[in-house]
Structures are given as structure tokens and as C-alpha cells.
Amino acid sequence: MFKKLIIVFCLFCILSMGAVAGGLVYGYHYFSKGLPRIDTVEDYQMESVSAILAADGTIVAEFFDEQRYPVRLKDVPLFAREAFLAAEDAAFYKHPGIDPVSIFRAFLANIRTGSARQGGSTITQQVVKNTLLTREKKLERKIKEAILAYRLEKKLSKDDILELYLNKIFFGNRSYGIKAAVRNYFRKDISKVTLAEAALLAGLPQAPSRYSPVSNFPAAKKRQLYVLNQMVRAGFISQKAADEAASEEVRVYRASSDRIFEAPYYVSEVRRQFEERWGQYDIDRDGLKIYTALDTKAYALAQDAMERGLKEVDKRQGWRGAIGKVGTIEEFIEQYREWLTENLLLNRVYPAFVTEIDRSKRKVTVDIGNFTGVVDLKKAEWAKKRMSVDGDPIWI
């Protein structure tokens, strides 16, 4: 009787294992139907910045839909790579594309918090999601994501996958990919990034707007400290290095919306002619380098001469009045932010906020965002002549 029970039990286990295996095989083939081909990832072309260059090689303009500068993994400092691994997938170089431990940990965390904030996705899964699949949060899509991640690991090396990830992810502040993020947030080349800055960036992909150091630095700082702590736990850095990075003062910048750095009229004509002659290329997506015969020094001289002439003509017409009215310096800075720079250039016109008028000395005190100054009206006699709305001169 006992032997029969053992035999029945063994048969039950074998049948159960067979059923489970059969179910897994069926499920694999069922969810594999219609999946994108993995080899398309190898041919995947990311949108990147197109540059227009002058005759001496100077970049005078950039055009893009997504501001991205593709970078090779070997050119990303090791500690910067490790910051992203610690933040997103510390076991990246050990798992086969999916990490059951992380999935189970995320499952328990979601049950504990009563939400689905943690997904347990590996870096490989995130590459698959961002290049081959939609971003919808459905169980079927997650299963397909896991299958494709496993296949991708068989096709590409770990370094290739990590390189794709670092070039693809969005950091906020108009930055796609790590090189653009370093340029926009810190105004430096990726080779100069520090551990503190790398940890700050590594905390962004999960929620770029929520952790934005530009609009919410306290949240970004908290996230940075989390990344540094994870790096220590993973054995990437020492506690001393983490403490030094945490105490480093990081200065961040808002990305500039100006795409044309020099010779705007020339650049506009180059773009027009390019689109007219080579319409098969997309100047905003294809990462092109367009070489021109532009002489930036000669253009600057011609531009200055033209501006001086126009200013003289404008002065002969008379003062046109204030360009606008605002109540506070804060409102002025917000309205004219794109005009204000850290360094004022000679012979350039800038908007200014009038803070004080001294009629007896005929002087006006102005604020130009980062600078204050005094305008001596005795040296601006031409401004006594003011143009009316109808264009008639009025002497004041």
C-alpha cells in the first residue's frame, strides 16, 4: 500500500512538472507571436543632433527634435556607469536579461505600499521597452518584454546593451542620453563629470520631472543620496567617496532653447537650401554634419557694421518708448529670461528693468538680471526726440 502511494505521488509530481513545463512552452510560443525582431535593435538609429559647421570647423547651429549626442560606452567614466547600475540594476552583469529576485522584491514592495510604483525591470528590459515595445502597463506587455530581453541578451553583449540604454533614456531638461544631460545640466563635456553629478543624473530616469534638479533640487538631492548609498552597497565606491560626493556643491543649469549660436541669417538660408536639395534627409533627426564656407570673423564684422548703421538710423528716428511694463524684477527676469546672460557683450542691446529715476542728475538706474547699472541721459540727447504712434516726432 505504501509503495503504491509513493508510485502515485511520483507519477503526480511528474505529470505536474510536465503540465507546468508544457504550460510554459505554450505560453512562450503564444506570447512570442508577432514580437518584433531582435536584430532590428542592432540597426536601430537613434535621433540625434545635426550640426552646421563654419569653414574652420566651428559649430554655428544645431537642429534636433530630441537633443541627443550618441556616445560610446568607453567614453563614459566608469563611476558614471556604475551610478546608473546601482540606481537601476545592480545585478545587470549577472542576470540573463530578467532578474527574478528584483521582480519578487518589487512585487512585495507593491503589495506593501498598495501601488504599482516598482516594476522590477532590468536595464535590458528598459532598452526593449524603449526601442521595441509600447510603454503601456499591461501584464501581456511585461511578459513580451521579458521574452525580448532574454533574446536581446543572446544577441548583444552587456556593454552594447548598457551603451544603448545610456544613449536612449530621457533626463528632462530637453536632454536625451547621458552626453546631452551632462552638457545641459552642467555645461561641460562628459569626460569632466564628477561622481556627485553622475549620481544626480542617475536618479533622474525613474521620474525626470519629479526629481528635476532645476525645478525641485531638494527632491533631486534626496534621490542623489539614495544613488550614492546604493553604490556603496553594491561595492562600487567607498563610504568616504560617497560622503565627499554628497557634500559637493553641484551647480545645475536650465537647457538653452537657442539652437543658432552664430550667423542666424546665414544658417537659416543653409537650412532652407538643404531641405530644398536633400529632402530625403531629416535635419532634425538624422544627426548630420553640414559643412559650409562660412567665415565667422568676416560675418561678425559685416554684422557689426550693419547693426551700427541700423542703430544710427534708429536714433535719428527718436526714442520709441518703453518696450513694456512689469511690476517686479522677478516678473522682468521671467519675461526676458532668454535675453539675459551671465556675461554682457559690448555693443549689444539688452532689455533692462528701471529701478530708479533721478531727474535732477538726469540718470536712470537699471537692473539687467545679473547686473545693475546707471544710464546717463546727458549722453543720450537723441532720446529727447520721441516717435508718436503715428510716426510723428515729439520733443520731450
Side-chain angles (χ1 to χ4, degrees), residues 1-14:
M1 183 68 179
F2 182 70
K3 289 183 177 180
K4 289 182 178 180
L5 288 174
I6 293 177
I7 293 172
V8 171
F9 178 75
C10 289
L11 287 173
F12 175 77
C13 290
I14 293 172

Side-chain angles (χ1 to χ4, degrees), residues 83-104:
F84 285 88
L85 293 176
E88 297 291 327
D89 186 3
F92 173 71
Y93 281 95
K94 298 177 182 178
H95 61 63
I98 54 175
D99 188 357
V101 175
S102 294
I103 293 174
F104 183 69

Side-chain angles (χ1 to χ4, degrees), residues 17-36:
M17 291 173 63
V20 171
L24 290 174
V25 171
Y26 173 79
Y28 179 84
H29 287 288
Y30 174 81
F31 288 109
S32 294
K33 293 178 182 178
L35 285 180

Side-chain angles (χ1 to χ4, degrees), residues 89-127:
D89 186 3
F92 173 71
Y93 281 95
K94 298 177 182 178
H95 61 63
I98 54 175
D99 188 357
V101 175
S102 294
I103 293 174
F104 183 69
R105 188 187 303 119
F107 174 74
L108 293 179
N110 292 336
I111 291 178
R112 186 166 57 252
T113 60
S115 64
R117 291 186 177 181
Q118 294 191 33
S121 292
T122 64
I123 282 177
T124 311
Q125 286 176 271
Q126 292 182 53
V127 169

Side-chain angles (χ1 to χ4, degrees), residues 54-74:
D56 62 359
T58 303
I59 296 177
V60 295
E62 292 181 337
F63 293 103
F64 51 84
D65 281 340
E66 295 182 355
Q67 189 174 3
R68 178 185 288 108
Y69 308 92
V71 61
R72 300 302 301 270
L73 188 65
K74 64 182 179 63

Side-chain angles (χ1 to χ4, degrees), residues 198-356:
L200 194 71
L201 292 182
L204 296 181
Q206 188 181 93
S209 58
R210 188 193 314 163
Y211 299 121
S212 170
V214 172
S215 59
N216 191 358
F217 193 82
K221 183 65 180 180
K222 184 177 180 180
R223 182 71 176 159
Q224 178 208 44
L225 296 178
Y226 165 79
V227 173
L228 290 170
N229 183 56
Q230 290 296 100
M231 293 183 74
V232 173
R233 290 184 60 184
F236 293 143
I237 59 173
S238 66
Q239 186 61 56
K240 180 182 178 182
D243 292 340
E244 290 176 351
S247 62
E248 179 182 321
E249 184 178 348
V250 177
R251 186 173 185 180
V252 296
Y253 301 86
R254 189 181 299 274
S256 172
S257 60
D258 190 7
R259 299 182 178 190
I260 301 177
F261 315 127
E262 295 186 60
Y265 305 111
Y266 186 94
V267 167
S268 297
E269 181 62 16
V270 168
R271 174 166 184 142
R272 186 191 68 78
Q273 290 196 28
F274 179 88
E275 292 176 336
E276 186 178 280
R277 297 184 184 186
W278 296 284
Q280 68 270 33
Y281 297 104
D282 189 334
I283 197 172
D284 292 317
R285 295 170 178 264
D286 291 344
L288 307 169
K289 284 189 176 181
I290 302 171
Y291 297 88
T292 72
L294 173 66
D295 184 331
T296 53
K297 292 181 180 178
Y299 186 95
L301 291 173
Q303 179 82 5
D304 288 342
M306 182 185 70
E307 288 182 358
R308 284 198 301 270
L310 290 174
K311 287 176 183 176
E312 289 302 318
V313 171
D314 193 48
K315 283 184 178 181
R316 288 199 292 269
Q317 298 297 316
W319 182 48
R320 300 177 187 275
I323 60 175
K325 292 183 179 181
V326 291
T328 64
I329 183 63
E330 289 75 20
E331 292 175 0
F332 166 77
I333 292 175
E334 182 63 30
Q335 185 170 341
Y336 296 98
R337 183 182 301 278
E338 294 187 5
W339 290 76
L340 308 178
T341 62
E342 292 187 355
N343 298 300
L344 299 183
L345 301 178
L346 189 64
N347 296 323
R348 294 292 176 90
V349 176
Y350 297 92
F353 180 75
V354 177
T355 58
E356 184 182 351

